[in-house]
Amino acid sequence: MSPRTGILKPFVFALLCVSICLSLPGSGSAQQARQAAYKAEKPVRSTMLPRATPESKGVSSLYILDMLQELEKRNYPVHSMVIAVDGAVIFDGYWNPYNPDTPYVTFSLSKLFANTAAGIAVTNGKLKLTDKVVDYFPDRVPANANENLKAMTVRDLITMRSGHAREISGNEWRPLKTSWIDAFMKEPVPHKPGTHYQYSSGNTFMLSAMVQKATGQTCEDLLKSALLPKLGIRQFSWDKSPEGITSGYGGVMITTEDMLKIGMLYEQRGMWNGERLLTEEWCDLSMGHKDAYPGMRNRYAFHWSDRGGVYTAGGRFGQSVLIFPELKMVVSITAGTASRRYQAEYSAILREKIVDRIQADGDRKYDGKYAPALQNKAASLNVLPVARVTDSPLAEKLNGKTFAVAQNPDGISEIGLNFAKGSVTFTMKDARGMHTVVNGVGCWLPSRTTMTGNYLHHQYQNPSHPVVASAQWTDDNTLQLTWRFTDMPFCDYVTLKLTDNTLSMVRSVNVNSTGPFGGQVRPEVKGTLR
């Protein structure tokens, strides 16, 4: 594939959307609204990996095409995919409006970065796998701490064998304004550490806290100083706890190609451009080539899982890195899937459509006949439905009006609508302030928004997010807004039922966690015209 195949497509797409809307009569106010809401910024780009044709690396373009068609057949919501073989990218695809330069939240794939930071600390002699948690935070240990908590080590945290009986999800702790260390210390530890597997984000946070205590740097700063520049990774951020500790378990924002680089580093057993960045022993432990505990093997090592010879690391909603060692193939994927089996599903599809067929062919010599078709396919990848131009008599009546909103669980106090040829501007006021999303009519409009959404977005809430949005009337009284956040897997659906003087709003999302901190539909919000 040619370099940056994913760049031109979203850029041209955004230009077309804007030009379509601006060509409509009476669209001056729409243009002003967009300019107020969106400021184009030149992206900071990481160093690109070498590029090669699939055939030059012993892969048929047809096999990649078949894999993409299988994803479509299964209606699998992939947002981006990059494939490298033997150190060079042979395919990069971005489903419109996702693009190569916007960092994407990786959820629990972030644990791979925490484990890598721990590997650097261990290599530098600052941290040991046998170090005990309580020795790093003696003043935070409860007076009634049992022997299991006192015995817990770095090795137990990193292999998810801390002795806890339940999973602590990141969306449980992200809203906490108090100490996450104290929350961890209060958690019951009924099992002897090292003997009981229980996946928990709390473990990786405490690992991050120990790395910070040992090195004097957050995991983010340690990676930025010791590793990421050598990989050419320049766009990288990580959220923190109230105490200023990198969360460890989630929150890393990084591009899909830079995700791939971390996988390539492990596939190359810690080597990068002839320089050793991680020890071979750490890579062996991380991927499960060497048992983390003597005589005790489990498919989960240091956030790498061995799935029948495919090594996978993943995060909720489909964010993944996969290694197929027999081909020296590494794949990175972002997605918005509700499936909890995504790593197994990715592995099976890639193996069936690419790996097994190549191995059956033997000589791996292909003529490139299907290369143009693959390039065309990469240029046409898209998740956005066609936006239709619709109208309602209420648009003129409610243009510029605001609704006072009755008390509700989300703290929304006001909703406003501004209609113009080419756009609908939606405003919402809550405890965080006033938020705006500009929605295209007959097109999709890109902008940035501060819109509150943590209650639908696995409790993630950045100061602002890039979004593409569209609006259409489904009948004279129903306005449907669709907001696709391009740095996350989330797509919000806002259904407004309107009369001359009343409003009701129901906001839902494509995917989210379940339980008391999740859910895919918010309670109905009602308002009256001011």
Side-chain angles (χ1 to χ4, degrees):
M1 302 302 295
S2 60
R4 294 286 176 191
T5 55
I7 294 177
L8 183 60
K9 177 180 60 173
F11 178 72
V12 171
F13 171 80
L15 267 177
L16 285 173
C17 283
V18 173
S19 63
I20 289 170
C21 288
L22 292 183
S23 66
L24 294 170
S27 61
S29 59
Q31 182 179 8
Q32 291 171 1
R34 284 194 294 277
Q35 289 175 340
Y38 179 67
K39 180 181 179 181
E41 296 178 358
K42 184 178 180 181
V44 175
R45 289 178 180 158
S46 296
T47 302
M48 290 177 64
L49 291 164
R51 259 52 182 180
T53 64
E55 284 71 23
S56 70
K57 293 295 183 178
V59 179
S60 171
S61 293
L62 174 63
Y63 297 167
I64 300 175
L65 267 172
D66 289 347
M67 178 270 299
L68 295 172
Q69 289 168 357
E70 182 66 20
L71 290 171
E72 290 179 356
K73 178 181 175 182
R74 299 191 189 193
N75 199 27
Y76 215 88
V78 174
H79 296 160
S80 68
M81 176 183 291
V82 185
I83 303 174
V85 173
D86 195 22
V89 171
I90 62 169
F91 173 80
D92 56 338
Y94 296 86
W95 280 250
N96 217 5
Y98 303 94
N99 64 81
D101 296 311
T102 299
Y104 194 100
V105 65
T106 58
F107 299 89
S108 283
L109 185 64
S110 304
K111 292 179 173 68
L112 179 57
F113 295 90
N115 298 345
T116 301
I120 294 171
V122 170
T123 299
N124 293 341
K126 302 289 187 180
L127 187 70
K128 296 178 182 177
L129 288 172
T130 54
D131 285 350
K132 292 184 177 180
V133 174
V134 295
D135 290 343
Y136 276 65
F137 305 99
D139 58 328
R140 313 296 280 275
V141 180
N144 62 346
N146 67 8
E147 293 305 310
N148 291 336
L149 176 58
K150 293 176 182 177
M152 193 186 300
T153 67
V154 169
R155 189 189 305 269
D156 302 323
L157 296 175
I158 207 168
T159 58
M160 299 297 173
R161 294 176 178 85
S162 60
H164 291 127
R166 75 176 187 101
E167 176 182 356
I168 299 169
S169 176
N171 71 336
E172 178 181 341
W173 278 10
R174 264 187 296 278
L176 285 180
K177 304 302 181 186
T178 54
S179 168
W180 293 2
I181 293 177
D182 289 345
F184 182 90
M185 292 292 188
K186 292 174 184 176
E187 193 68 25
V189 189
H191 303 285
K192 181 180 178 181
T195 65
H196 176 79
Y197 175 82
Q198 174 58 66
Y199 186 90
S200 176
S201 289
N203 291 346
T204 317
F205 165 72
M206 191 53 65
L207 173 69
S208 175
M210 292 182 74
V211 169
Q212 185 166 330
K213 190 88 168 186
T215 65
Q217 293 180 284
T218 65
C219 284
E220 178 181 3
D221 290 340
L222 181 60
L223 291 177
K224 283 182 173 179
S225 62
L227 182 71
L228 302 187
K230 295 179 180 181
L231 301 181
I233 297 176
R234 298 189 181 121
Q235 292 198 84
F236 184 88
S237 62
W238 208 337
D239 63 9
K240 293 180 176 61
S241 76
E243 297 157 295
I245 299 168
T246 301
S247 66
Y249 58 75
V252 163
M253 298 196 72
I254 190 171
T255 65
T256 313
E257 184 166 332
D258 286 346
M259 283 168 52
L260 186 81
K261 294 174 184 177
I262 297 296
M264 291 172 64
L265 177 64
Y266 279 91
E267 190 275 326
Q268 294 165 182
R269 309 288 281 277
M271 296 295 294
W272 192 266
N273 292 334
E275 181 181 0
R276 178 157 295 285
L277 304 184
L278 291 173
T279 66
E280 189 169 352
E281 180 183 17
W282 185 263
C283 294
D284 286 345
L285 285 168
S286 297
M287 299 182 70
H289 300 318
K290 181 182 290 187
D291 292 353
Y293 298 90
M296 187 177 181
R297 185 120 189 225
N298 188 285
R299 74 176 190 178
Y300 186 95
F302 294 3
H303 202 58
W304 285 104
S305 296
D306 180 355
R307 299 176 183 273
V310 182
Y311 297 92
T312 69
R316 193 182 283 262
F317 311 121
Q319 324 326 314
S320 295
V321 177
L322 303 93
I323 298 174
F324 296 81
E326 60 266 57
L327 297 185
K328 295 185 178 179
M329 185 171 84
V330 185
V331 183
S332 59
I333 302 171
T334 65
T337 177
S339 172
R340 298 301 294 268
R341 299 186 66 254
Y342 59 88
Q343 293 183 61
E345 291 164 355
Y346 290 155
S347 300
I349 293 171
L350 286 158
R351 181 168 287 286
E352 176 190 351
K353 297 300 180 181
I354 300 177
V355 179
D356 288 349
R357 294 165 76 181
I358 288 173
Q359 291 181 320
D361 291 339
D363 62 10
R364 297 183 65 179
K365 293 181 180 179
Y366 305 102
D367 60 13
K369 174 182 178 181
Y370 295 95
L374 179 58
Q375 291 178 351
N376 291 337
K377 183 66 174 178
S380 65
L381 296 171
N382 178 48
V383 298
L384 296 178
V386 174
R388 298 188 302 117
V389 177
T390 58
D391 202 357
S392 163
L394 285 177
E396 184 176 353
K397 294 179 181 179
L398 299 179
N399 182 33
K401 305 297 185 181
T402 59
F403 294 83
V405 174
Q407 188 174 2
N408 60 87
D410 296 337
I412 300 168
S413 58
E414 179 183 300
I415 290 173
L417 293 167
N418 187 288
F419 296 91
K421 294 282 183 70
S423 73
V424 176
T425 300
F426 174 92
T427 58
M428 185 185 90
K429 186 177 183 181
D430 62 14
R432 293 182 60 248
M434 185 69 78
H435 316 288
T436 300
V437 177
V438 184
N439 306 265
V441 174
C443 65
W444 292 82
L445 285 178
S447 65
R448 289 197 72 91
T449 183
T450 61
M451 182 62 65
T452 303
N454 59 296
Y455 31 67
L456 287 175
H457 300 162
H458 199 57
Q459 292 300 328
Y460 279 93
Q461 184 66 66
N462 288 347
S464 70
H465 295 276
V467 65
V468 295
S470 184
Q472 70 175 51
W473 292 93
T474 58
D475 60 48
D476 281 351
N477 296 94
T478 307
L479 181 63
Q480 180 70 53
L481 311 179
T482 304
W483 305 337
R484 188 167 284 274
F485 297 88
T486 57
D487 62 346
M488 301 190 293
F490 305 114
C491 182
D492 289 11
Y493 309 101
V494 180
T495 303
L496 300 172
K497 295 286 188 180
L498 299 160
T499 70
D500 288 349
N501 53 22
T502 65
L503 168 149
S504 77
M505 179 181 78
V506 175
R507 184 175 170 189
S508 60
V509 72
N510 58 334
V511 290
N512 194 17
S513 48
T514 57
F517 304 99
Q520 288 182 249
V521 183
R522 297 305 298 167
E524 182 182 23
V525 171
K526 294 184 178 182
T528 56
L529 193 64
R530 282 184 164 165

